[in-house]
Amino acid sequence: MKVISSIHELRDQMRGQNRTAFVPTMGNLHDGHLSLMRLARQHGDPVVASIFVNRLQFGPNEDFEKYPRTLEADIDKLQKENVYVLFAPTEKELYPQPQEYRVHPPHDLGDILEGEFRPGFFQGVCTVVMKLMSCVQPRVAVFGKKDYQQLMIVRQMCDQFALPTEVIAAETVRDADGLALSSRNRFLSPDERAEAPALAAALNRVRDAVLAGNRDFASVEKDAMDSLAVRGWKPDYIAVRKRSNLLPPGAADADAPLVVLAAAKLGATRLIDNLEI
Ligand code: PAF
């Protein structure tokens, strides 16, 4: 595997490749990321991964400096997955001047759910993904369903800008007790780690209630949030939404495919998860 930090060198290396499958990451790789690399391999060749901790998507109260950086261990893992190139630019390489041109997702998708609690987050994500895609020029790019809203927003961005990149969705990888794998899990204390599967359990209860015919989404969501709050969580949202646009389902949406999305704080760690219904 070649580890490349310069855009110029990456372009030289990738010249003539037209089936590239790309997996952008912020590093601190776990089995969830590695499953994205394996899915990428099924959809293209060569596989290119990136590691870049993107300052633009961190809010003023989110600790960009503390984000775990584990490049050597990440390189070992990617090598075992037969990744062809790891693009790991420095900040100076990717943002040599302040990034003044930005991609703004539409308000009705970018400023709800995660976007409401993390203002500017999806603008930072879209801007860096657009830039990374412009560097790598992939035919496909793989994004995890774990970050469901991110997946939808990036897919629509590619669509609206007619980018030649198809976005492929990867299923969420979970530990045996149901906890979705996330780089943030490493911040959980042993007690919090034992409690953490309660989030997925709450989502499962919402799914079961909706599948059993309960269309009073507001009360199903409230019950789920209350069930976490009594256990010491601070839920930001648990929301049943239409998969197509992440808006709340209305009376006319009886057959619309749904997803339930959640974000909640356990101690100092904010976890997100979702489940298709
Ligand atoms: O999901 C992530 O790790 C990041 O949001 C991404 C897509 C790599 C952009 O920085």
Side-chain angles (χ1 to χ4, degrees), residues 153-188:
I153 287 176
V154 168
R155 182 176 267 155
Q156 291 203 10
M157 176 183 82
C158 292
D159 211 40
Q160 285 225 334
F161 284 107
L163 300 184
T165 304
E166 180 191 349
V167 171
I168 310 274
E171 294 301 327
T172 301
V173 179
R174 297 178 183 280
D175 272 336
D177 59 9
L179 177 65
L181 299 194
S182 162
S183 301
R184 294 188 179 179
N185 295 353
R186 60 156 35 206
F187 297 123
L188 299 169

PDB file of all heavy atoms in Angstrom, residues 153-188:
ATOM      1  N   ILE A 153     -27.038  12.744   2.697  1.00  0.00           N
ATOM      2  CA  ILE A 153     -26.645  14.088   2.232  1.00  0.00           C
ATOM      3  C   ILE A 153     -25.550  13.975   1.180  1.00  0.00           C
ATOM      4  O   ILE A 153     -25.585  14.655   0.155  1.00  0.00           O
ATOM      5  CB  ILE A 153     -26.218  14.950   3.448  1.00  0.00           C
ATOM      6  CG1 ILE A 153     -27.458  15.332   4.260  1.00  0.00           C
ATOM      7  CG2 ILE A 153     -25.445  16.174   3.009  1.00  0.00           C
ATOM      8  CD1 ILE A 153     -27.191  16.110   5.534  1.00  0.00           C
ATOM      9  N   VAL A 154     -24.584  13.093   1.414  1.00  0.00           N
ATOM     10  CA  VAL A 154     -23.495  12.943   0.436  1.00  0.00           C
ATOM     11  C   VAL A 154     -24.040  12.361  -0.868  1.00  0.00           C
ATOM     12  O   VAL A 154     -23.665  12.786  -1.958  1.00  0.00           O
ATOM     13  CB  VAL A 154     -22.367  12.061   1.030  1.00  0.00           C
ATOM     14  CG1 VAL A 154     -21.387  11.657  -0.055  1.00  0.00           C
ATOM     15  CG2 VAL A 154     -21.649  12.785   2.147  1.00  0.00           C
ATOM     16  N   ARG A 155     -24.966  11.424  -0.746  1.00  0.00           N
ATOM     17  CA  ARG A 155     -25.549  10.826  -1.954  1.00  0.00           C
ATOM     18  C   ARG A 155     -26.262  11.890  -2.779  1.00  0.00           C
ATOM     19  O   ARG A 155     -26.100  11.973  -3.988  1.00  0.00           O
ATOM     20  CB  ARG A 155     -26.510   9.706  -1.532  1.00  0.00           C
ATOM     21  CG  ARG A 155     -27.115   8.994  -2.681  1.00  0.00           C
ATOM     22  CD  ARG A 155     -27.971   7.843  -2.209  1.00  0.00           C
ATOM     23  NE  ARG A 155     -27.239   6.590  -2.156  1.00  0.00           N
ATOM     24  CZ  ARG A 155     -27.539   5.566  -1.374  1.00  0.00           C
ATOM     25  NH1 ARG A 155     -28.529   5.651  -0.513  1.00  0.00           N
ATOM     26  NH2 ARG A 155     -26.848   4.458  -1.428  1.00  0.00           N
ATOM     27  N   GLN A 156     -27.031  12.743  -2.100  1.00  0.00           N
ATOM     28  CA  GLN A 156     -27.758  13.803  -2.837  1.00  0.00           C
ATOM     29  C   GLN A 156     -26.805  14.834  -3.400  1.00  0.00           C
ATOM     30  O   GLN A 156     -27.047  15.394  -4.468  1.00  0.00           O
ATOM     31  CB  GLN A 156     -28.772  14.466  -1.909  1.00  0.00           C
ATOM     32  CG  GLN A 156     -29.897  13.513  -1.569  1.00  0.00           C
ATOM     33  CD  GLN A 156     -31.160  14.234  -1.141  1.00  0.00           C
ATOM     34  OE1 GLN A 156     -31.276  15.445  -1.267  1.00  0.00           O
ATOM     35  NE2 GLN A 156     -32.114  13.484  -0.626  1.00  0.00           N
ATOM     36  N   MET A 157     -25.713  15.089  -2.680  1.00  0.00           N
ATOM     37  CA  MET A 157     -24.716  16.043  -3.193  1.00  0.00           C
ATOM     38  C   MET A 157     -24.132  15.516  -4.511  1.00  0.00           C
ATOM     39  O   MET A 157     -24.047  16.254  -5.502  1.00  0.00           O
ATOM     40  CB  MET A 157     -23.604  16.232  -2.154  1.00  0.00           C
ATOM     41  CG  MET A 157     -22.481  17.127  -2.627  1.00  0.00           C
ATOM     42  SD  MET A 157     -21.135  17.258  -1.423  1.00  0.00           S
ATOM     43  CE  MET A 157     -20.222  15.758  -1.775  1.00  0.00           C
ATOM     44  N   CYS A 158     -23.772  14.237  -4.525  1.00  0.00           N
ATOM     45  CA  CYS A 158     -23.187  13.653  -5.742  1.00  0.00           C
ATOM     46  C   CYS A 158     -24.180  13.725  -6.888  1.00  0.00           C
ATOM     47  O   CYS A 158     -23.824  14.020  -8.029  1.00  0.00           O
ATOM     48  CB  CYS A 158     -22.774  12.200  -5.496  1.00  0.00           C
ATOM     49  SG  CYS A 158     -21.392  12.072  -4.364  1.00  0.00           S
ATOM     50  N   ASP A 159     -25.446  13.480  -6.540  1.00  0.00           N
ATOM     51  CA  ASP A 159     -26.496  13.505  -7.526  1.00  0.00           C
ATOM     52  C   ASP A 159     -26.682  14.912  -8.093  1.00  0.00           C
ATOM     53  O   ASP A 159     -26.671  15.121  -9.294  1.00  0.00           O
ATOM     54  CB  ASP A 159     -27.772  13.076  -6.783  1.00  0.00           C
ATOM     55  CG  ASP A 159     -28.708  12.370  -7.685  1.00  0.00           C
ATOM     56  OD1 ASP A 159     -28.218  11.580  -8.503  1.00  0.00           O
ATOM     57  OD2 ASP A 159     -29.932  12.625  -7.567  1.00  0.00           O
ATOM     58  N   GLN A 160     -26.803  15.888  -7.182  1.00  0.00           N
ATOM     59  CA  GLN A 160     -27.117  17.254  -7.625  1.00  0.00           C
ATOM     60  C   GLN A 160     -25.967  17.897  -8.388  1.00  0.00           C
ATOM     61  O   GLN A 160     -26.196  18.732  -9.249  1.00  0.00           O
ATOM     62  CB  GLN A 160     -27.481  18.108  -6.417  1.00  0.00           C
ATOM     63  CG  GLN A 160     -28.859  17.792  -5.884  1.00  0.00           C
ATOM     64  CD  GLN A 160     -29.663  19.041  -5.562  1.00  0.00           C
ATOM     65  OE1 GLN A 160     -29.105  20.093  -5.285  1.00  0.00           O
ATOM     66  NE2 GLN A 160     -30.976  18.907  -5.607  1.00  0.00           N
ATOM     67  N   PHE A 161     -24.726  17.521  -8.049  1.00  0.00           N
ATOM     68  CA  PHE A 161     -23.590  18.083  -8.775  1.00  0.00           C
ATOM     69  C   PHE A 161     -23.174  17.191  -9.951  1.00  0.00           C
ATOM     70  O   PHE A 161     -22.133  17.431 -10.567  1.00  0.00           O
ATOM     71  CB  PHE A 161     -22.386  18.298  -7.845  1.00  0.00           C
ATOM     72  CG  PHE A 161     -22.534  19.499  -6.943  1.00  0.00           C
ATOM     73  CD1 PHE A 161     -22.794  19.353  -5.597  1.00  0.00           C
ATOM     74  CD2 PHE A 161     -22.412  20.782  -7.459  1.00  0.00           C
ATOM     75  CE1 PHE A 161     -22.931  20.460  -4.759  1.00  0.00           C
ATOM     76  CE2 PHE A 161     -22.549  21.899  -6.632  1.00  0.00           C
ATOM     77  CZ  PHE A 161     -22.816  21.735  -5.281  1.00  0.00           C
ATOM     78  N   ALA A 162     -23.961  16.145 -10.215  1.00  0.00           N
ATOM     79  CA  ALA A 162     -23.663  15.205 -11.309  1.00  0.00           C
ATOM     80  C   ALA A 162     -22.230  14.702 -11.210  1.00  0.00           C
ATOM     81  O   ALA A 162     -21.516  14.581 -12.210  1.00  0.00           O
ATOM     82  CB  ALA A 162     -23.917  15.849 -12.665  1.00  0.00           C
ATOM     83  N   LEU A 163     -21.798  14.409  -9.987  1.00  0.00           N
ATOM     84  CA  LEU A 163     -20.448  13.852  -9.824  1.00  0.00           C
ATOM     85  C   LEU A 163     -20.459  12.426 -10.386  1.00  0.00           C
ATOM     86  O   LEU A 163     -21.466  11.718 -10.258  1.00  0.00           O
ATOM     87  CB  LEU A 163     -20.036  13.818  -8.345  1.00  0.00           C
ATOM     88  CG  LEU A 163     -20.001  15.160  -7.615  1.00  0.00           C
ATOM     89  CD1 LEU A 163     -19.472  14.968  -6.188  1.00  0.00           C
ATOM     90  CD2 LEU A 163     -19.128  16.172  -8.351  1.00  0.00           C
ATOM     91  N   PRO A 164     -19.360  11.987 -10.969  1.00  0.00           N
ATOM     92  CA  PRO A 164     -19.353  10.658 -11.590  1.00  0.00           C
ATOM     93  C   PRO A 164     -19.108   9.551 -10.562  1.00  0.00           C
ATOM     94  O   PRO A 164     -18.507   8.532 -10.864  1.00  0.00           O
ATOM     95  CB  PRO A 164     -18.187  10.756 -12.586  1.00  0.00           C
ATOM     96  CG  PRO A 164     -17.270  11.750 -11.968  1.00  0.00           C
ATOM     97  CD  PRO A 164     -18.098  12.709 -11.179  1.00  0.00           C
ATOM     98  N   THR A 165     -19.569   9.760  -9.353  1.00  0.00           N
ATOM     99  CA  THR A 165     -19.300   8.826  -8.253  1.00  0.00           C
ATOM    100  C   THR A 165     -20.618   8.299  -7.709  1.00  0.00           C
ATOM    101  O   THR A 165     -21.482   9.083  -7.311  1.00  0.00           O
ATOM    102  CB  THR A 165     -18.519   9.541  -7.124  1.00  0.00           C
ATOM    103  OG1 THR A 165     -17.328  10.097  -7.666  1.00  0.00           O
ATOM    104  CG2 THR A 165     -18.178   8.580  -5.989  1.00  0.00           C
ATOM    105  N   GLU A 166     -20.731   6.983  -7.699  1.00  0.00           N
ATOM    106  CA  GLU A 166     -21.933   6.360  -7.123  1.00  0.00           C
ATOM    107  C   GLU A 166     -21.671   6.112  -5.637  1.00  0.00           C
ATOM    108  O   GLU A 166     -20.605   5.592  -5.271  1.00  0.00           O
ATOM    109  CB  GLU A 166     -22.169   5.032  -7.844  1.00  0.00           C
ATOM    110  CG  GLU A 166     -23.380   4.279  -7.362  1.00  0.00           C
ATOM    111  CD  GLU A 166     -23.423   2.854  -7.923  1.00  0.00           C
ATOM    112  OE1 GLU A 166     -22.619   2.554  -8.835  1.00  0.00           O
ATOM    113  OE2 GLU A 166     -24.217   2.053  -7.426  1.00  0.00           O
ATOM    114  N   VAL A 167     -22.629   6.480  -4.812  1.00  0.00           N
ATOM    115  CA  VAL A 167     -22.465   6.282  -3.366  1.00  0.00           C
ATOM    116  C   VAL A 167     -23.088   4.947  -2.974  1.00  0.00           C
ATOM    117  O   VAL A 167     -24.253   4.685  -3.261  1.00  0.00           O
ATOM    118  CB  VAL A 167     -23.094   7.448  -2.570  1.00  0.00           C
ATOM    119  CG1 VAL A 167     -23.123   7.145  -1.080  1.00  0.00           C
ATOM    120  CG2 VAL A 167     -22.308   8.728  -2.835  1.00  0.00           C
ATOM    121  N   ILE A 168     -22.270   4.102  -2.323  1.00  0.00           N
ATOM    122  CA  ILE A 168     -22.717   2.764  -1.906  1.00  0.00           C
ATOM    123  C   ILE A 168     -22.888   2.795  -0.377  1.00  0.00           C
ATOM    124  O   ILE A 168     -22.013   3.305   0.329  1.00  0.00           O
ATOM    125  CB  ILE A 168     -21.637   1.707  -2.233  1.00  0.00           C
ATOM    126  CG1 ILE A 168     -21.174   1.823  -3.682  1.00  0.00           C
ATOM    127  CG2 ILE A 168     -22.072   0.303  -1.855  1.00  0.00           C
ATOM    128  CD1 ILE A 168     -21.979   1.094  -4.678  1.00  0.00           C
ATOM    129  N   ALA A 169     -23.999   2.226   0.091  1.00  0.00           N
ATOM    130  CA  ALA A 169     -24.281   2.215   1.538  1.00  0.00           C
ATOM    131  C   ALA A 169     -23.821   0.906   2.158  1.00  0.00           C
ATOM    132  O   ALA A 169     -24.114  -0.173   1.624  1.00  0.00           O
ATOM    133  CB  ALA A 169     -25.775   2.390   1.758  1.00  0.00           C
ATOM    134  N   ALA A 170     -23.133   1.003   3.274  1.00  0.00           N
ATOM    135  CA  ALA A 170     -22.667  -0.200   3.986  1.00  0.00           C
ATOM    136  C   ALA A 170     -23.450  -0.363   5.287  1.00  0.00           C
ATOM    137  O   ALA A 170     -23.721   0.624   5.993  1.00  0.00           O
ATOM    138  CB  ALA A 170     -21.177  -0.062   4.298  1.00  0.00           C
ATOM    139  N   GLU A 171     -23.799  -1.596   5.594  1.00  0.00           N
ATOM    140  CA  GLU A 171     -24.555  -1.871   6.812  1.00  0.00           C
ATOM    141  C   GLU A 171     -23.713  -1.546   8.049  1.00  0.00           C
ATOM    142  O   GLU A 171     -22.478  -1.655   8.017  1.00  0.00           O
ATOM    143  CB  GLU A 171     -24.965  -3.356   6.880  1.00  0.00           C
ATOM    144  CG  GLU A 171     -25.945  -3.784   5.796  1.00  0.00           C
ATOM    145  CD  GLU A 171     -27.258  -3.001   5.810  1.00  0.00           C
ATOM    146  OE1 GLU A 171     -27.719  -2.606   6.900  1.00  0.00           O
ATOM    147  OE2 GLU A 171     -27.819  -2.783   4.715  1.00  0.00           O
ATOM    148  N   THR A 172     -24.387  -1.213   9.132  1.00  0.00           N
ATOM    149  CA  THR A 172     -23.704  -0.918  10.398  1.00  0.00           C
ATOM    150  C   THR A 172     -23.171  -2.216  11.008  1.00  0.00           C
ATOM    151  O   THR A 172     -23.877  -3.228  11.028  1.00  0.00           O
ATOM    152  CB  THR A 172     -24.712  -0.257  11.371  1.00  0.00           C
ATOM    153  OG1 THR A 172     -25.186   0.932  10.752  1.00  0.00           O
ATOM    154  CG2 THR A 172     -24.083   0.059  12.713  1.00  0.00           C
ATOM    155  N   VAL A 173     -21.943  -2.157  11.492  1.00  0.00           N
ATOM    156  CA  VAL A 173     -21.373  -3.317  12.186  1.00  0.00           C
ATOM    157  C   VAL A 173     -21.576  -3.109  13.691  1.00  0.00           C
ATOM    158  O   VAL A 173     -21.342  -2.010  14.205  1.00  0.00           O
ATOM    159  CB  VAL A 173     -19.868  -3.466  11.863  1.00  0.00           C
ATOM    160  CG1 VAL A 173     -19.271  -4.667  12.598  1.00  0.00           C
ATOM    161  CG2 VAL A 173     -19.666  -3.611  10.359  1.00  0.00           C
ATOM    162  N   ARG A 174     -22.042  -4.166  14.360  1.00  0.00           N
ATOM    163  CA  ARG A 174     -22.353  -4.070  15.794  1.00  0.00           C
ATOM    164  C   ARG A 174     -21.561  -5.083  16.597  1.00  0.00           C
ATOM    165  O   ARG A 174     -21.253  -6.165  16.088  1.00  0.00           O
ATOM    166  CB  ARG A 174     -23.858  -4.328  16.026  1.00  0.00           C
ATOM    167  CG  ARG A 174     -24.724  -3.294  15.372  1.00  0.00           C
ATOM    168  CD  ARG A 174     -26.222  -3.550  15.552  1.00  0.00           C
ATOM    169  NE  ARG A 174     -26.958  -2.520  14.826  1.00  0.00           N
ATOM    170  CZ  ARG A 174     -27.170  -1.289  15.283  1.00  0.00           C
ATOM    171  NH1 ARG A 174     -26.763  -0.977  16.505  1.00  0.00           N
ATOM    172  NH2 ARG A 174     -27.795  -0.394  14.556  1.00  0.00           N
ATOM    173  N   ASP A 175     -21.278  -4.729  17.838  1.00  0.00           N
ATOM    174  CA  ASP A 175     -20.753  -5.732  18.767  1.00  0.00           C
ATOM    175  C   ASP A 175     -21.863  -6.729  19.078  1.00  0.00           C
ATOM    176  O   ASP A 175     -23.039  -6.483  18.792  1.00  0.00           O
ATOM    177  CB  ASP A 175     -20.262  -5.046  20.052  1.00  0.00           C
ATOM    178  CG  ASP A 175     -18.805  -4.605  19.937  1.00  0.00           C
ATOM    179  OD1 ASP A 175     -18.066  -5.192  19.125  1.00  0.00           O
ATOM    180  OD2 ASP A 175     -18.412  -3.662  20.649  1.00  0.00           O
ATOM    181  N   ALA A 176     -21.479  -7.849  19.720  1.00  0.00           N
ATOM    182  CA  ALA A 176     -22.455  -8.913  19.977  1.00  0.00           C
ATOM    183  C   ALA A 176     -23.633  -8.413  20.810  1.00  0.00           C
ATOM    184  O   ALA A 176     -24.757  -8.906  20.662  1.00  0.00           O
ATOM    185  CB  ALA A 176     -21.760 -10.069  20.682  1.00  0.00           C
ATOM    186  N   ASP A 177     -23.414  -7.418  21.656  1.00  0.00           N
ATOM    187  CA  ASP A 177     -24.509  -6.907  22.497  1.00  0.00           C
ATOM    188  C   ASP A 177     -25.329  -5.813  21.806  1.00  0.00           C
ATOM    189  O   ASP A 177     -26.190  -5.194  22.423  1.00  0.00           O
ATOM    190  CB  ASP A 177     -23.973  -6.408  23.846  1.00  0.00           C
ATOM    191  CG  ASP A 177     -22.942  -5.291  23.684  1.00  0.00           C
ATOM    192  OD1 ASP A 177     -22.770  -4.799  22.551  1.00  0.00           O
ATOM    193  OD2 ASP A 177     -22.308  -4.914  24.698  1.00  0.00           O
ATOM    194  N   GLY A 178     -25.042  -5.540  20.544  1.00  0.00           N
ATOM    195  CA  GLY A 178     -25.874  -4.602  19.775  1.00  0.00           C
ATOM    196  C   GLY A 178     -25.270  -3.218  19.608  1.00  0.00           C
ATOM    197  O   GLY A 178     -25.731  -2.438  18.771  1.00  0.00           O
ATOM    198  N   LEU A 179     -24.252  -2.885  20.373  1.00  0.00           N
ATOM    199  CA  LEU A 179     -23.672  -1.534  20.256  1.00  0.00           C
ATOM    200  C   LEU A 179     -23.022  -1.357  18.886  1.00  0.00           C
ATOM    201  O   LEU A 179     -22.181  -2.169  18.475  1.00  0.00           O
ATOM    202  CB  LEU A 179     -22.625  -1.310  21.366  1.00  0.00           C
ATOM    203  CG  LEU A 179     -21.891   0.043  21.295  1.00  0.00           C
ATOM    204  CD1 LEU A 179     -22.856   1.206  21.531  1.00  0.00           C
ATOM    205  CD2 LEU A 179     -20.749   0.096  22.307  1.00  0.00           C
ATOM    206  N   ALA A 180     -23.425  -0.293  18.181  1.00  0.00           N
ATOM    207  CA  ALA A 180     -22.828  -0.001  16.870  1.00  0.00           C
ATOM    208  C   ALA A 180     -21.369   0.407  17.064  1.00  0.00           C
ATOM    209  O   ALA A 180     -21.059   1.208  17.956  1.00  0.00           O
ATOM    210  CB  ALA A 180     -23.615   1.126  16.209  1.00  0.00           C
ATOM    211  N   LEU A 181     -20.477  -0.140  16.230  1.00  0.00           N
ATOM    212  CA  LEU A 181     -19.065   0.223  16.346  1.00  0.00           C
ATOM    213  C   LEU A 181     -18.884   1.697  15.984  1.00  0.00           C
ATOM    214  O   LEU A 181     -19.469   2.184  15.033  1.00  0.00           O
ATOM    215  CB  LEU A 181     -18.197  -0.641  15.433  1.00  0.00           C
ATOM    216  CG  LEU A 181     -18.208  -2.150  15.678  1.00  0.00           C
ATOM    217  CD1 LEU A 181     -17.035  -2.809  14.933  1.00  0.00           C
ATOM    218  CD2 LEU A 181     -18.143  -2.491  17.165  1.00  0.00           C
ATOM    219  N   SER A 182     -18.058   2.363  16.769  1.00  0.00           N
ATOM    220  CA  SER A 182     -17.800   3.786  16.551  1.00  0.00           C
ATOM    221  C   SER A 182     -16.474   4.139  17.207  1.00  0.00           C
ATOM    222  O   SER A 182     -16.128   3.577  18.256  1.00  0.00           O
ATOM    223  CB  SER A 182     -18.921   4.597  17.208  1.00  0.00           C
ATOM    224  OG  SER A 182     -18.506   5.931  17.387  1.00  0.00           O
ATOM    225  N   SER A 183     -15.776   5.078  16.606  1.00  0.00           N
ATOM    226  CA  SER A 183     -14.521   5.533  17.215  1.00  0.00           C
ATOM    227  C   SER A 183     -14.782   6.120  18.597  1.00  0.00           C
ATOM    228  O   SER A 183     -13.897   6.134  19.458  1.00  0.00           O
ATOM    229  CB  SER A 183     -13.856   6.612  16.349  1.00  0.00           C
ATOM    230  OG  SER A 183     -13.609   6.091  15.068  1.00  0.00           O
ATOM    231  N   ARG A 184     -16.000   6.607  18.806  1.00  0.00           N
ATOM    232  CA  ARG A 184     -16.300   7.233  20.103  1.00  0.00           C
ATOM    233  C   ARG A 184     -16.450   6.222  21.235  1.00  0.00           C
ATOM    234  O   ARG A 184     -16.411   6.598  22.414  1.00  0.00           O
ATOM    235  CB  ARG A 184     -17.587   8.033  20.015  1.00  0.00           C
ATOM    236  CG  ARG A 184     -17.441   9.199  19.089  1.00  0.00           C
ATOM    237  CD  ARG A 184     -18.642  10.047  19.169  1.00  0.00           C
ATOM    238  NE  ARG A 184     -18.493  11.189  18.284  1.00  0.00           N
ATOM    239  CZ  ARG A 184     -19.402  12.110  18.130  1.00  0.00           C
ATOM    240  NH1 ARG A 184     -20.527  12.027  18.804  1.00  0.00           N
ATOM    241  NH2 ARG A 184     -19.208  13.111  17.319  1.00  0.00           N
ATOM    242  N   ASN A 185     -16.666   4.938  20.899  1.00  0.00           N
ATOM    243  CA  ASN A 185     -16.864   3.944  21.963  1.00  0.00           C
ATOM    244  C   ASN A 185     -15.650   3.863  22.877  1.00  0.00           C
ATOM    245  O   ASN A 185     -15.761   3.490  24.037  1.00  0.00           O
ATOM    246  CB  ASN A 185     -17.166   2.560  21.369  1.00  0.00           C
ATOM    247  CG  ASN A 185     -18.481   2.546  20.608  1.00  0.00           C
ATOM    248  OD1 ASN A 185     -19.224   3.520  20.635  1.00  0.00           O
ATOM    249  ND2 ASN A 185     -18.759   1.456  19.901  1.00  0.00           N
ATOM    250  N   ARG A 186     -14.495   4.236  22.342  1.00  0.00           N
ATOM    251  CA  ARG A 186     -13.275   4.148  23.164  1.00  0.00           C
ATOM    252  C   ARG A 186     -13.282   5.148  24.324  1.00  0.00           C
ATOM    253  O   ARG A 186     -12.506   5.022  25.268  1.00  0.00           O
ATOM    254  CB  ARG A 186     -12.027   4.361  22.305  1.00  0.00           C
ATOM    255  CG  ARG A 186     -12.047   5.702  21.638  1.00  0.00           C
ATOM    256  CD  ARG A 186     -10.738   6.315  21.221  1.00  0.00           C
ATOM    257  NE  ARG A 186      -9.696   5.472  20.748  1.00  0.00           N
ATOM    258  CZ  ARG A 186      -8.401   5.787  20.833  1.00  0.00           C
ATOM    259  NH1 ARG A 186      -8.025   6.909  21.404  1.00  0.00           N
ATOM    260  NH2 ARG A 186      -7.479   5.004  20.354  1.00  0.00           N
ATOM    261  N   PHE A 187     -14.176   6.156  24.254  1.00  0.00           N
ATOM    262  CA  PHE A 187     -14.250   7.135  25.341  1.00  0.00           C
ATOM    263  C   PHE A 187     -15.153   6.659  26.482  1.00  0.00           C
ATOM    264  O   PHE A 187     -15.252   7.320  27.510  1.00  0.00           O
ATOM    265  CB  PHE A 187     -14.777   8.479  24.823  1.00  0.00           C
ATOM    266  CG  PHE A 187     -13.873   9.110  23.796  1.00  0.00           C
ATOM    267  CD1 PHE A 187     -14.338   9.431  22.536  1.00  0.00           C
ATOM    268  CD2 PHE A 187     -12.544   9.387  24.094  1.00  0.00           C
ATOM    269  CE1 PHE A 187     -13.506  10.012  21.588  1.00  0.00           C
ATOM    270  CE2 PHE A 187     -11.697   9.968  23.156  1.00  0.00           C
ATOM    271  CZ  PHE A 187     -12.179  10.275  21.900  1.00  0.00           C
ATOM    272  N   LEU A 188     -15.857   5.524  26.288  1.00  0.00           N
ATOM    273  CA  LEU A 188     -16.785   5.041  27.320  1.00  0.00           C
ATOM    274  C   LEU A 188     -16.013   4.379  28.454  1.00  0.00           C
ATOM    275  O   LEU A 188     -15.096   3.589  28.204  1.00  0.00           O
ATOM    276  CB  LEU A 188     -17.771   4.032  26.712  1.00  0.00           C
ATOM    277  CG  LEU A 188     -18.679   4.551  25.590  1.00  0.00           C
ATOM    278  CD1 LEU A 188     -19.413   3.388  24.907  1.00  0.00           C
ATOM    279  CD2 LEU A 188     -19.680   5.567  26.139  1.00  0.00           C
TER     280      LEU A 188
END
